[in-house]
Amino acid sequence: DGGITQSPKYLFRKEGQNVTLSCEQNLNHDAMYWYRQDPGQGLRLIYYSQIVNDFQKGDIAEGYSVSREKKESFPLTVTSAQKNPTAFYLCASSIRGLGTGAAKNIQYFGAGTRLSVL
Amino acid sequence: AQSVTQLDSHVSVSEGTPVLLRCNYSSSYSPSLFWYVQHPNKGLQLLLKYTSAATLVKGINGFEAEFKKSETSFHLTKPSAHMSDAAEYFCVVSDTSGTYKYIFGTGTRLKVLA
């Protein structure tokens, strides 16, 4: 069954702690994305990666870090520098990366991780 | 710059009555437009997409949307609401100026009354 798997579903962060959210896809998609969702707001782009070993900052990258060592995996670390991390985090992927045409850029989403601060 | 505005943050309809969720966009280029649905604590599911082909787009679960360039609108409709349609709906414009980044509306929460 092809799809995007995010884990864990719920995560709690203590003061000063870094936490890592997992995102794995078996769709053979080149591009992957991380979004943050806050109540009453649309999704905001944190980071994206169009190819292995390469990634770019989105609109709200401060306090976050990512890696893309494998095509299937794009983990997001919420660092202690992110002072307001409580949110719903969504991972997405698309066949090709940005700039390659709208049809190939349709994004498919995982089920999300809800992060709260203890 | 491209933007998208969802005109209603909440919409309530009775089961079996029509659904209308409104979306207006701003774009300097020929846009690609999408509607996604999100059920509580779930990811987003693509309902339908407009990528410069037919202006009336049919999607899953009986939803459809019409691209109206003169009105810069892409409203989502369904003839008859079902209880399972209760969810949050997002209108998205894809930046066709080169990056194809997604720009999200703030969402419309649809409530279906029995």
Side-chain angles (χ1 to χ4, degrees), chain B:
Chain B
Q2 294 183 309
S3 65
V4 60
T5 301
Q6 291 185 243
L7 297 162
D8 306 292
S9 58
H10 293 83
V11 170
S12 291
V13 300
S14 296
E15 191 175 22
T17 65
V19 175
L20 170 65
L21 304 183
R22 298 183 294 165
C23 173
N24 285 105
Y25 69 91
S26 170
S27 174
S28 303
Y29 302 88
S30 179
S32 289
L33 294 154
F34 308 85
W35 276 99
Y36 281 83
V37 60
Q38 184 181 33
H39 289 91
N41 292 308
K42 301 288 187 186
L44 277 68
Q45 180 184 19
L46 181 66
L47 275 179
L48 48 81
K49 62 185 185 290
Y50 167 78
T51 56
S52 78
T55 56
L56 182 62
V57 181
K58 293 188 183 299
I60 61 171
N61 301 335
F63 284 94
E64 62 181 39
E66 187 171 8
F67 173 70
K68 291 187 176 180
K69 187 175 181 179
S70 61
E71 299 176 10
T72 62
S73 69
F74 190 58
H75 300 335
L76 182 70
T77 60
K78 183 173 180 177
S80 175
H82 190 271
M83 296 298 289
S84 61
D85 295 327
E88 187 145 26
Y89 292 78
F90 290 95
C91 183
V92 180
V93 61
S94 180
D95 176 4
T96 54
S97 66
T99 66
Y100 295 94
K101 282 172 68 174
Y102 271 21
I103 299 159
F104 286 82
T106 52
T108 298
R109 186 166 296 280
L110 176 65
K111 188 173 181 179
V112 181
L113 307 170

Side-chain angles (χ1 to χ4, degrees), chain A residues 5-110:
Chain A
T5 301
Q6 289 188 243
S7 63
K9 190 167 182 176
Y10 299 97
L11 186 59
F12 298 91
R13 193 189 89 167
K14 294 180 182 178
E15 196 75 33
Q17 187 182 42
N18 293 351
V19 292
T20 298
L21 285 62
S22 171
C23 178
E24 304 275 333
Q25 55 99 358
N26 61 3
L27 300 168
N28 199 32
H29 284 177
D30 283 338
M32 297 185 74
Y33 313 81
W34 275 105
Y35 292 93
R36 172 179 171 138
Q37 185 178 23
D38 294 284
Q41 299 189 36
L43 277 66
R44 293 181 290 169
L45 183 64
I46 304 172
Y47 268 99
Y48 63 98
S49 168
Q50 300 186 67
I51 197 167
V52 174
N53 292 324
D54 185 52
F55 49 83
Q56 286 81 39
K57 292 182 179 180
D59 301 317
I60 55 165
E62 187 174 347
Y64 300 96
S65 66
V66 294
S67 62
R68 186 90 187 274
E69 297 176 2
K70 297 188 298 181
K71 187 175 185 177
E72 304 80 21
S73 179
F74 191 41
L76 173 75
T77 297
V78 183
T79 74
S80 57
Q82 173 48 248
K83 297 306 179 189
N84 183 24
T86 297
F88 192 50
Y89 290 86
L90 288 156
C91 178
S93 69
S94 62
I95 295 174
R96 293 290 184 266
L98 302 178
T100 56
K104 293 190 172 100
N105 189 37
I106 293 171
Q107 294 182 26
Y108 300 89
F109 287 80

